[in-house]
Amino acid sequence: MKRFLAGAAVLASLSAPCLAQTTARQAQPGFNLFTVNQDVEIGRQSAIEAEKQLTLLNDPSVDRYLNRIIQRLAAVAPGAQYPYHIKAVNASEINAFALPGGPLYVNRGTIQAARSEAELAGVLAHEMSHVALRHGTHQASRAYLAQSGLGILGGLFGRQSSAASIVNTVGGVGLNALFLKYTRDDEYAADATGARIMAKAGYDPAAMANFFELLRTEQSRNPSKVEQFFSDHPPPADREARIRQLASSLGTGRSEVLGGFSTIRADLSRLSATGTQQIVEQVPNPLIPDTATVGAGPVQVARPSSRLVRFAQPNGFFSINYPANWRAYPSGLAVTLAPDGGVLTRSDGRQVLLYGIIVNHYFPFTTEDTRRNLSLQRNYAPFEDRTLPRGRLEDATDDLIRTVLSANPYLHTEDEAAQPEVVSGAQGFSMVLSGTSPVTGEEERVTVYTRGLSDGHVVYMLWVVPGRDYATMDRTFARMLRTLNVNDAAVHQTAGMASRYGPLP
């Protein structure tokens, strides 16, 4: 059960990081394994690698001007107060990118293509928004989940994986696709947040849309100049229109500029530019099984005690009874409950759950529309009937199950639909997954229970047990489930993790 529990361990740490604060509903960054300080460290190391591959302009006047714009934008940016800074790249193509924690880069071609300081500020505000919303480490966190067999379980049992070890797992601390390419939802969120930053900083947010209009014109006239930009920045057809609509609601603001834009452009025209500057993307390392655990044989545990004892989550978020001869492994908002022998230690010291229960908080990865569209494309997921109304709990359950299955390809669903349940006095769902465990070599069953919270988040339970013990353990698990008591009013969010969806219907 190595891959599954490691995936569950990621979910167990969902509430640990600080997430960017923003009032824009669509701009919530979602799941992230990293802390804000780790974002900064990852960005610092990634910038070192980036600058080994890029030819920087190294013009103090240009960089000074760019950083004046960045400081103005950063003063009103949402989220953590990252040490934003920017450097110009000596390349004629139109492009810009940002790294986690604050480093930004912009090609001289972007500065020369912009027709005003406000248009240039729009490009920079968009890239800054990816940092503020933590999209880079969000992408890295999701990739780490997909390779979860390499060991984030330590966090579940109270040991935290370092930022470097997580990023190394998904392809190295240096720049790669995780930090350079974003989803359509991410791009929409960066557009919207960037427009708001511009308005607060005194720039006309419509200038961002004007620059996208310029890019469309340039694409038809000189496609090579914008090829790299569009490879890193997906251009949805309605993106420009969305920005204009938002800009009209924000107003033009003070439309103040710092000044010096024309002088900087003139100075650049007298300098020679290098050819294309492109970061070489690193390929994530494949999952390498631990030979000490794969094929380790059937798990053997004592029968569960009929006497139950109480576990209470320290925040008062939930409590649950469990067999007296089991152990509790608390971690943040989560707890793993397992008998002796239910946890296997790998040769590298990481631990694997083969027998036991996890209770945790879940904050869905993606936006509501994306979850809905993804679930309707997959025939194994629940709630496939397009004719039935869908609620946020259905979408969140679908998202959770899809995530577990993608991280654990040996598992599959037992039924085509999730079953409605009542969990701790509220609406919930259950679904049974099964497959041959790569660790024990025998059938493994995983029952997923979800329960909605009043703010759109979810409490889930994962029951992991060998198939041979499924029937005999069912009574014990049912007793435990009946004792689960969830307190919707208790704190189950870290600073900055605001509800994206509002109350559940």
Side-chain angles (χ1 to χ4, degrees):
M1 191 47 196
K2 171 176 58 179
R3 293 174 115 179
F4 173 76
L5 188 62
V10 178
L11 301 178
S13 64
L14 288 179
S15 55
C18 289
L19 300 179
Q21 294 186 17
T22 173
T23 57
R25 174 180 286 188
Q26 71 272 31
Q28 291 289 340
F31 155 72
N32 204 308
L33 288 172
F34 302 93
T35 66
V36 167
N37 288 338
Q38 286 175 325
D39 276 19
V40 174
E41 176 59 21
I42 289 167
R44 186 189 67 80
Q45 295 183 50
S46 295
I48 293 172
E49 297 299 319
E51 292 177 20
K52 291 177 182 177
Q53 302 181 54
L54 298 171
T55 300
L56 299 178
L57 189 63
N58 289 322
D59 186 304
S61 61
V62 174
D63 285 345
R64 187 162 48 247
Y65 173 70
L66 291 171
N67 277 290
R68 287 176 64 203
I69 298 176
I70 289 300
Q71 290 165 14
R72 182 174 177 178
L73 297 172
V76 295
Q81 295 182 347
Y82 290 110
Y84 293 103
H85 57 279
I86 188 168
K87 295 181 180 180
V89 179
N90 194 18
S92 57
E93 294 81 17
I94 299 173
N95 201 17
F97 65 89
L99 299 174
L104 295 97
Y105 297 86
V106 60
N107 284 3
R108 61 176 291 170
T110 305
I111 304 172
Q112 292 175 293
R115 295 163 296 189
S116 67
E117 180 180 301
E119 286 189 358
L120 176 59
V123 175
L124 304 185
H126 172 93
E127 297 302 332
M128 179 180 288
S129 296
H130 284 306
V131 178
L133 299 176
R134 311 188 68 210
H135 287 155
T137 47
H138 169 66
Q139 295 279 71
S141 298
R142 296 188 66 182
Y144 195 50
L145 174 60
Q147 299 191 46
S148 55
L150 288 179
I152 52 171
L153 185 56
L156 181 63
F157 293 96
R159 297 196 305 268
Q160 296 298 324
S161 299
S162 69
S165 69
I166 295 176
V167 176
N168 276 323
T169 299
V170 297
V173 176
L175 280 175
N176 53 46
L178 300 175
F179 296 159
L180 295 177
K181 296 181 180 179
Y182 302 109
T183 66
R184 178 173 296 190
D185 283 333
D186 288 344
E187 294 295 343
Y188 283 150
D191 287 343
T193 302
R196 288 180 169 88
I197 290 173
M198 291 181 69
K200 290 180 179 179
Y203 291 110
D204 182 357
M208 182 189 291
N210 294 341
F211 190 79
F212 275 104
E213 182 182 24
L214 170 68
L215 290 178
R216 286 195 296 107
T217 302
E218 197 69 34
Q219 189 177 30
S220 60
R221 186 171 54 191
N222 188 4
S224 63
K225 193 171 183 179
V226 295
E227 179 180 2
Q228 185 61 36
F229 183 92
F230 283 124
S231 71
D232 292 345
H233 302 80
D238 61 343
R239 197 164 163 195
E240 179 190 332
R242 283 171 175 254
I243 298 171
R244 290 198 187 282
Q245 182 179 9
L246 177 59
S248 65
S249 68
L250 294 173
T252 59
R254 294 165 289 173
S255 297
E256 298 174 358
V257 297
L258 296 170
F261 176 73
S262 298
T263 302
I264 292 297
R265 286 188 73 199
D267 290 344
L268 288 175
S269 67
R270 291 190 289 269
L271 300 175
S272 59
T274 63
T276 300
Q277 296 289 304
Q278 188 170 354
I279 299 297
V280 177
E281 297 174 358
Q282 300 183 25
V283 178
N285 297 322
L287 180 66
I288 302 175
D290 183 75
T291 55
T293 54
V294 172
V299 60
Q300 300 294 332
V301 301
R303 293 180 61 85
S305 170
S306 60
R307 184 173 68 88
L308 302 183
V309 295
R310 194 76 170 161
F311 171 82
Q313 197 278 330
N315 288 21
F317 181 35
F318 67 83
S319 61
I320 186 172
N321 293 355
Y322 65 97
N325 59 342
W326 285 22
R327 296 178 59 190
Y329 301 86
S331 177
L333 294 177
V335 66
T336 297
L337 306 167
D340 289 340
V343 177
L344 176 68
T345 301
R346 293 164 38 127
S347 61
D348 58 8
R350 296 165 183 164
Q351 293 173 300
V352 181
L353 178 68
L354 301 174
Y355 205 121
I357 288 174
I358 295 172
V359 184
N360 194 19
H361 164 265
Y362 181 65
F363 185 63
F365 285 157
T366 52
T367 64
E368 190 171 347
D369 288 343
T370 299
R371 292 200 312 279
R372 180 187 299 268
N373 292 336
L374 284 173
S375 68
L376 292 174
Q377 295 169 13
R378 308 299 288 270
N379 58 14
Y380 62 68
F383 320 119
E384 294 300 318
D385 191 339
R386 294 172 182 264
T387 65
L388 296 177
R390 296 167 63 90
R392 295 184 181 93
L393 178 58
E394 286 89 337
D395 278 332
T397 301
D398 205 29
D399 184 47
L400 173 61
I401 292 172
R402 186 173 57 250
T403 299
V404 170
L405 290 172
S406 67
N408 304 273
Y410 68 91
L411 292 173
H412 60 273
T413 57
E414 289 286 299
D415 300 307
E416 290 300 320
Q419 301 300 314
E421 303 282 353
V422 175
V423 180
S424 185
Q427 179 188 1
F429 292 99
S430 68
M431 193 166 211
V432 180
L433 316 176
S434 66
T436 301
S437 166
V439 175
T440 66
E442 63 177 348
E443 183 195 12
E444 181 173 80
R445 293 203 179 189
V446 179
T447 305
V448 181
Y449 278 80
T450 60
R451 176 200 187 274
L453 296 170
S454 58
D455 60 359
H457 294 197
V458 173
V459 172
Y460 70 88
M461 291 183 65
L462 304 177
W463 171 29
V464 183
V465 67
R468 56 182 162 81
D469 288 349
Y470 185 78
T472 56
M473 271 295 297
D474 183 64
R475 182 176 178 182
T476 298
F477 177 73
R479 289 182 66 197
M480 295 175 66
L481 182 63
R482 285 195 297 269
T483 69
L484 176 66
N485 182 37
V486 177
N487 180 5
D488 288 69
V491 174
H492 56 270
Q493 307 171 38
T494 57
M497 184 191 288
S499 171
R500 187 187 319 171
Y501 310 109
L504 286 164

